[in-house]
Amino acid sequence: MPFIPSRERWRFLVNRLRERLWVKPLAICLLSILGALAARLADSSDLGDYLPTITNEALLSLLSVMSASMLGVATFAVASMVAAYASASNAATPRSVTLVIADDVSQNALSTFIGAFIFSVVSLIGVKNDYFALAGRFTLFLLTLVVLALVILMFVHWVDRIARLGRLGTTVKRVEQATNAALQRRRLTPTLGASPVHEGLTGGLLISSPEIGYVQQIDIAHLNTLAEEMDTHIQILALPGTFVTPDQGLALAHGCPEPARLDMARLASAFTVGSERLFDEDPRFGLIVLAEIAGRALSPAVNDPGTAIGILGTLVRLFVLWDEPLSGEDQANHQASPYERISASPLAVMDMFDDAFTAIARDGAGTLEVALRLQKALLALTHGSQTMADAARRHGRLALARSELAMNLEEDKAQVRALARRLLGDD
């Protein structure tokens, strides 16, 4: 049976292509070449008898100006984008650069500038070699005006975007959006569409990773198909974001009446392993990146507690959205697990809190405003589910203990203690 990638797999592959700067420019370049040559089709019609005359000299002048200017504009765009990527890496964290590179406006602008340059060069070659007749020259003239209008509109839009692209606030917003998207997907499918792990499952044959790296994506549909084919049940051990080595298991195969039928290599192929973590299927990675940005802001070299306080607000917003109950429609759509041959564990709220708040509590323990805002943020999260409230209180106790050790002034400690008592319910 041929392997047909699932919708989740296609989405994963499309997101990887979006992170490659050459994909859109290449596609636009091909369209530009086809557009320039397609103007010749007008010469096969009778339009030449009704259209005004456009001379070769007029076209040559217009196309020459475009080709000379677009190469410079494209070079300027690349330099500006590289500077924005470096700024995002330095001001926030290197882990956020993939999100900045995937910015659609910047990629569309670069593609438009390069495409306009290729269009003008190809058109110049055609005009100089008398490739176009009267109707073709007029059609090419109209296409040139359209391309110029697109370049002007895109340039104005892109200048506004590039001015913000590498800024810290924009980077934090993009990380928040990516993290929230991953959290909401996991909220709707807590076990990735598989069944919850059965308590009675023991033993099993280990499916090892052929590579060393992080699990980036699991094609659950393909894995379920393989499990049906091999008459086995697969218990996933390594969720997206887990670091695996060849001696560590990706999953366990249970209950196969004929173990010889198990093809471990094919089962392992459903797991995509790479050298770095990705935001798509790994909500905890987004929380870690946000904590990294806050930690860098709290370093003595930067000394920017305001950014850390803003990150705390972002984390509260993400956890509140994560903890919202599913609507009736969502519950109906996700009540049954579509992949009964696969089982997996949901994300642990305590682990998510460790990712989000540990670094901020450690690095901001001696800064009064950060310590107070951290206690307030955790207090806000106690109004959610019991699991989240327990995690918030645990981290409130740990944050208070760190502040007791880091702060020198007793009055500062007293303020943090007062908020911690409200959080822990000791008032």
Side-chain angles (χ1 to χ4, degrees):
M1 181 178 179
F3 168 53
I4 301 177
S6 63
R7 183 179 62 180
E8 290 76 14
R9 182 63 178 168
W10 280 118
R11 179 171 54 80
F12 177 81
L13 295 175
V14 168
N15 286 342
R16 301 290 72 75
L17 287 176
R18 288 183 59 197
E19 295 170 0
R20 301 293 183 267
L21 283 176
W22 57 267
V23 175
K24 283 187 178 180
L26 176 61
I28 295 298
C29 286
L30 295 176
L31 288 175
S32 300
I33 295 172
L34 291 176
L37 298 180
R40 173 69 180 273
L41 298 176
D43 289 327
S44 59
S45 65
D46 297 331
L47 293 176
D49 299 333
Y50 309 99
L51 296 175
T53 301
I54 302 295
T55 64
N56 279 357
E57 290 72 17
L59 270 178
L60 286 173
S61 299
L62 185 60
L63 293 171
S64 297
V65 171
M66 181 186 292
S67 62
S69 59
M70 283 301 100
L71 184 59
V73 171
T75 303
F76 168 72
V78 171
S80 300
M81 291 166 64
V82 170
Y85 302 154
S87 176
S89 178
N90 294 328
T93 171
R95 261 64 62 188
S96 64
V97 173
T98 55
L99 295 177
V100 181
I101 292 176
D103 179 68
D104 287 333
V105 174
S106 297
Q107 290 193 7
N108 291 341
L110 180 61
S111 303
T112 301
F113 302 151
I114 296 177
F117 172 72
I118 297 297
F119 171 83
S120 59
V121 170
V122 173
S123 300
L124 273 173
I125 295 172
V127 172
K128 286 190 174 183
N129 288 277
D130 294 326
Y131 183 70
F132 304 102
L134 179 61
R137 289 197 300 271
F138 184 81
T139 303
L140 186 61
F141 176 73
L142 293 180
L143 287 175
T144 303
L145 294 181
V146 170
V147 171
L148 279 174
L150 288 175
V151 167
I152 293 171
L153 293 174
M154 183 57 68
F155 184 79
V156 173
H157 186 32
W158 172 74
V159 166
D160 179 72
R161 175 59 68 93
I162 200 67
R164 299 177 174 84
L165 187 59
R167 300 294 181 263
L168 181 59
T170 303
T171 304
V172 171
K173 183 178 180 180
R174 294 188 70 84
V175 175
E176 179 184 357
Q177 291 171 344
T179 305
N180 185 54
L183 282 170
Q184 293 308 309
R185 282 195 295 270
R186 189 64 65 88
R187 173 172 164 264
L188 295 176
T189 55
T191 56
L192 302 174
S195 304
V197 173
H198 303 302
E199 297 294 336
L201 288 178
T202 58
L205 298 176
L206 195 67
I207 303 171
S208 300
S209 170
E211 303 176 67
I212 298 175
Y214 295 96
V215 176
Q216 296 177 336
Q217 196 258 352
I218 306 173
D219 193 338
I220 299 290
H222 180 48
L223 190 60
N224 190 72
T225 301
L226 293 176
E228 291 177 346
E229 177 186 325
M230 301 176 191
D231 193 17
T232 187
H233 181 94
I234 305 298
Q235 177 187 347
I236 294 175
L237 300 178
L239 292 173
T242 304
F243 186 79
V244 293
T245 59
D247 61 338
Q248 291 179 315
L250 295 169
L252 289 172
H254 294 278
C256 181
E258 301 178 38
R261 294 177 58 185
L262 293 175
D263 188 337
M264 297 302 187
R266 290 181 66 197
L267 291 171
S269 68
F271 294 77
T272 301
V273 178
S275 59
E276 57 187 16
R277 296 176 74 168
L278 302 175
F279 290 91
D280 303 27
E281 308 293 336
D282 186 5
R284 292 181 59 184
F285 181 54
L287 299 175
I288 291 171
V289 171
L290 288 170
E292 280 187 2
I293 296 173
R296 177 169 292 196
L298 291 170
S299 66
V302 179
N303 191 23
D304 179 20
T307 292
I309 290 172
I311 294 291
L312 286 172
T314 296
L315 292 171
V316 170
R317 186 160 50 247
L318 290 172
F319 278 114
V320 168
L321 293 173
W322 161 266
D323 200 46
E324 286 183 347
L326 293 176
S327 64
E329 182 180 353
D330 289 333
Q331 288 179 343
N333 291 337
H334 299 88
Q335 186 173 11
S337 301
Y339 306 116
E340 299 294 339
R341 290 275 186 170
I342 313 297
S343 62
S345 300
L347 288 175
V349 172
M350 192 66 74
D351 291 339
M352 295 166 64
F353 268 65
D354 290 342
D355 296 331
F357 296 111
T358 299
I360 301 176
R362 180 195 64 225
D363 298 332
T367 307
L368 177 62
E369 55 268 37
V370 176
L372 291 176
R373 187 56 63 93
L374 176 58
Q375 294 291 339
K376 291 178 181 179
L378 294 170
L379 178 61
L381 294 176
T382 59
H383 301 295
S385 63
Q386 187 60 46
T387 304
M388 187 168 290
D390 292 342
R393 293 190 177 98
R394 173 179 177 271
H395 275 269
R397 285 192 295 270
L398 291 173
L400 175 61
R402 289 188 172 96
S403 293
E404 294 276 10
L405 293 174
M407 290 182 176
N408 298 319
L409 191 63
E410 189 61 33
E411 285 80 357
D412 290 349
K413 295 181 182 180
Q415 293 186 59
V416 180
R417 288 192 202 108
L419 275 176
R421 283 196 296 269
R422 289 179 55 193
L423 170 62
L424 300 175
D426 294 338
D427 283 347

